[in-house]
Amino acid sequence: MANRAVGAILWIYFWIGALWQGYFAETALLFSNLILFAGWLVVLFLKREIAFSRVHLLIFLIVAVYWISVAYAVDAEQAILEASRVSALLPVSLMFLLLPADEVRNQCGIWPWIGLALTAAGIAYQMFRDGRLESTLAYANALAVFLLVNIFISLVSYIRDRRFVHLVLLTANVAGLWLTFSRSVWVLWLALMLAAVLWMPEFRRRRVWLNVGAAHAAGLIIALLVKGDGFFFWQRVASIRPQTSEFQIRLLYWKDGLGMLPDYWLGGTGGGGWNVLLPYYRTQAYFVKFIHNHYLQLALDIGIFGLLAFAGWLALFYVAAFRQMKRMHDADRIWAKGIVLSVTALALHAGFDFDLTFPMLLGVMAGLTVPAFPAAYRAQLPKLALGLSAAAALSAIFVFGWLASAYGYGQTAQSLSKAGMHDDAQRLFARAERMLPWSSSIPYESAKGYVRQGNETGQWVYYQLAREKLLEAKEKVPEQALYDDLLRQLPADRW
């Protein structure tokens, strides 16, 4: 019963996450945390058992340091949101450890089906931006790396079970990956497929590589038919080189991030501090919220110890995975090799983008890595420990519920403001601000609402109210250049 509950919670979490932009937006990640911790509370009472492994100490350290950084963060609001973003790691990783090996494979086996659904929905509803498939994740590179993980899971599932359905899933995920036009993931795809050929003798069997090759060819044909322009594919492939504009601008981000790091190497800037401090360190005029390198982002968010904890998590996984392979039967060893390739894809691409900022993809990383570790501690919970665990889960549910409600009010207020319903919008902004007294984004959005109202009515009083809200926001985060920019844009002939 308890294992079925864990499996159902994780199944729901990943399916909803795929449809809800990978839980990237504030309200989405907060509501998903609320649901996850509520699910974890149910599991505690059903199973009355807790288990954790060595790697959970590192995961807990990462989450704890993110929350500790709120105390000294450049922007406490963004630090709380980034801490909330990584908090899902705790219940997801703990639940994966409770599952037996066959249930873990079943959970991971769901992801290629999700990839098929994302590809089909993206094509059917034309969820493209600049010609690149984004589907419901709303970011092509995040979709691409998720599909690449699914390709390896489908590949080893086919080698292991020889079922036609895995070739169908492989074809669908290949088609989706082509349509993302993600060059960095294409390079990883080629390199890791070559590694799979060399590493897996089973892959080199004639029937296997012919069928897998046919699935790849079918995926390419589907992508060409959808796009209707084979030359466009060729242009994208031919442009894979270090001189591409995307790679050059990311080198600039990394250079400026490294310039910031000596000042914040120990404890970091707090979550989100990079984008607040960027105007003081950038060497050219640009703005990005994320630095497009998860490792540098971690170091800037929570310092060198957070980066070392994440690196330790990966290192321990590879050690544990290769040790387990020595004791496995052939079928299980094939699966383990596919997991290693999938984790490698995520880990390498994290150095070029912000995929792991999506809580769903961070959950995929946890689901791939945590089952490699045996439970170092497993025990039945006595009533006192169960009560304390339940109290902690209830506290998390309350906190994330409160935050989700407040940001829900703020989001609704923004929509009302844009629709011209200014009085209703400002009432909701005021409610959200009372619930989030540390927030600077709420008064900033309220100020933008007053500016719209002033532009529509021509009444000076609304510009004055906007100025007061901006000064309030600036007092909370003095370094935020956005507030200065809007202040300078306000009509100035009356002050």
Side-chain angles (χ1 to χ4, degrees):
M1 176 66 179
N3 286 344
R4 287 199 295 272
V6 172
I9 292 165
L10 292 172
W11 188 91
I12 292 168
Y13 177 74
F14 286 109
W15 269 106
I16 293 178
L19 298 173
W20 204 1
Q21 205 180 340
Y23 303 121
F24 186 79
E26 287 91 347
T27 50
L29 73 92
L30 294 167
F31 273 117
S32 72
N33 282 1
L34 184 157
I35 294 166
L36 268 179
F37 279 94
W40 176 240
L41 183 61
V42 170
V43 170
L44 280 176
F45 278 97
L46 286 176
K47 205 166 182 71
R48 294 179 178 270
E49 178 186 66
I50 192 166
F52 58 85
S53 64
R54 291 178 300 164
V55 77
H56 280 99
L57 297 176
L58 295 175
I59 291 174
F60 179 80
L61 178 62
I62 292 169
V63 175
V65 175
Y66 260 103
W67 281 106
I68 290 168
S69 75
V70 172
Y72 58 82
V74 173
D75 185 340
E77 179 181 20
Q78 289 198 56
I80 289 172
L81 288 172
E82 293 307 308
S84 301
R85 199 180 296 279
V86 301
S87 292
L89 275 174
L90 292 175
V92 169
S93 63
L94 288 168
M95 282 192 277
F96 263 105
L97 194 65
L98 290 174
L99 292 175
D102 58 337
E103 286 297 320
V104 170
R105 283 194 294 270
N106 290 338
Q107 281 296 325
C108 295
I110 290 168
W111 300 337
W113 288 99
I114 295 175
L116 183 151
L118 289 175
T119 300
I123 294 170
Y125 294 100
Q126 290 296 295
M127 297 179 188
F128 293 81
R129 179 165 50 180
D130 298 327
R132 303 178 64 191
L133 180 67
E134 293 188 330
S135 195
T136 52
L137 287 186
Y139 187 56
N141 288 347
L143 174 61
V145 77
F146 179 61
L147 294 174
L148 182 57
V149 168
N150 295 338
I151 286 170
F152 288 116
I153 290 174
S154 299
L155 171 66
V156 295
S157 295
Y158 173 71
I159 294 174
R160 191 173 185 272
D161 301 329
R162 302 295 176 87
R163 294 177 60 195
F164 180 72
V165 67
H166 297 307
L167 291 176
V168 174
L169 293 171
L170 180 60
T171 300
N173 284 275
V174 165
L177 181 49
W178 276 116
L179 289 169
T180 63
F181 288 89
S182 178
R183 289 173 295 197
S184 58
V185 180
W186 287 355
V187 171
L188 281 176
W189 183 16
L190 175 61
L192 293 175
M193 285 301 291
L194 290 174
V197 171
L198 296 173
W199 195 21
M200 299 179 185
E202 302 86 356
F203 193 7
R204 297 196 293 271
R205 293 173 184 167
R206 181 182 178 84
R207 180 185 172 188
V208 172
W209 65 259
L210 279 176
N211 287 340
V212 170
H216 275 73
L220 176 58
I221 291 168
I222 292 170
L224 288 169
L225 290 173
V226 169
K227 202 65 186 174
D229 184 4
F231 185 67
F232 188 60
F233 277 93
W234 171 247
Q235 282 183 317
R236 191 74 175 173
V237 172
S239 66
I240 297 175
R241 56 183 185 272
Q243 291 77 26
T244 56
S245 58
E246 291 95 334
F247 185 67
Q248 291 300 312
I249 192 64
R250 287 178 187 184
L251 285 177
L252 180 62
Y253 302 159
W254 304 340
K255 176 186 173 184
D256 292 344
L258 289 170
M260 188 187 298
L261 190 57
D263 294 336
Y264 295 95
W265 69 271
L266 185 59
T269 63
W274 148 264
N275 67 73
V276 176
L277 297 173
L278 177 59
Y280 305 98
Y281 288 88
R282 65 190 176 194
T283 53
Q284 294 182 29
Y286 68 88
F287 176 78
V288 285
K289 185 171 183 180
F290 301 103
I291 202 170
H292 290 72
N293 183 311
H294 187 71
Y295 305 102
L296 186 52
Q297 188 86 52
L298 263 175
L300 288 172
D301 278 353
I302 56 175
I304 192 67
F305 297 108
L307 176 60
L308 290 175
F310 189 82
W313 173 8
L314 289 176
L316 286 177
F317 161 74
Y318 284 110
V319 171
F322 282 102
R323 281 180 178 171
Q324 280 190 358
M325 283 184 210
K326 295 177 181 179
R327 302 189 297 270
M328 287 177 172
H329 298 296
D330 289 344
D332 291 336
R333 190 179 298 114
I334 291 166
W335 176 263
K337 289 179 179 180
I339 297 301
V340 168
L341 290 172
S342 299
V343 172
T344 302
L346 283 170
L348 289 176
H349 198 258
F352 294 88
D353 220 321
F354 56 92
D355 321 309
L356 297 184
T357 304
F358 287 72
M360 189 191 90
L361 289 179
L362 197 57
V364 168
M365 174 73 89
L368 292 170
T369 56
V370 168
F373 299 91
Y377 176 82
R378 186 186 295 269
Q380 294 293 316
L381 289 175
K383 288 184 178 179
L384 178 60
L386 183 63
L388 292 174
S389 299
L394 285 170
S395 299
I397 291 167
F398 174 79
V399 168
F400 291 124
W402 181 276
L403 292 172
S405 299
Y407 281 103
Y409 289 136
Q411 194 173 59
T412 304
Q414 291 179 51
S415 299
L416 291 173
S417 177
K418 291 174 183 176
M421 303 172 68
H422 299 294
D423 291 341
D424 291 336
Q426 290 302 331
R427 277 194 290 271
L428 286 181
F429 278 132
R431 184 179 298 179
E433 198 170 347
R434 286 194 297 272
M435 295 179 73
L436 304 172
W438 58 84
S439 171
S440 66
S441 70
I442 298 296
Y444 173 65
E445 293 297 336
S446 175
K448 287 165 65 177
Y450 280 128
V451 170
R452 290 190 193 97
Q453 199 167 0
N455 292 341
E456 290 176 13
T457 63
Q459 296 183 30
W460 185 263
V461 64
Y462 295 117
Y463 296 122
Q464 177 63 37
L465 290 171
R467 185 172 185 273
E468 291 173 3
K469 285 294 180 184
L470 284 170
L471 291 174
E472 180 184 330
K474 186 171 173 56
E475 184 179 357
K476 293 173 181 176
V477 188
E479 298 88 352
Q480 181 55 267
L482 282 174
Y483 307 153
D484 291 321
D485 292 342
L486 188 53
L487 275 169
R488 285 192 293 268
Q489 292 172 30
L490 293 176
D493 58 336
R494 295 196 185 183
W495 50 64

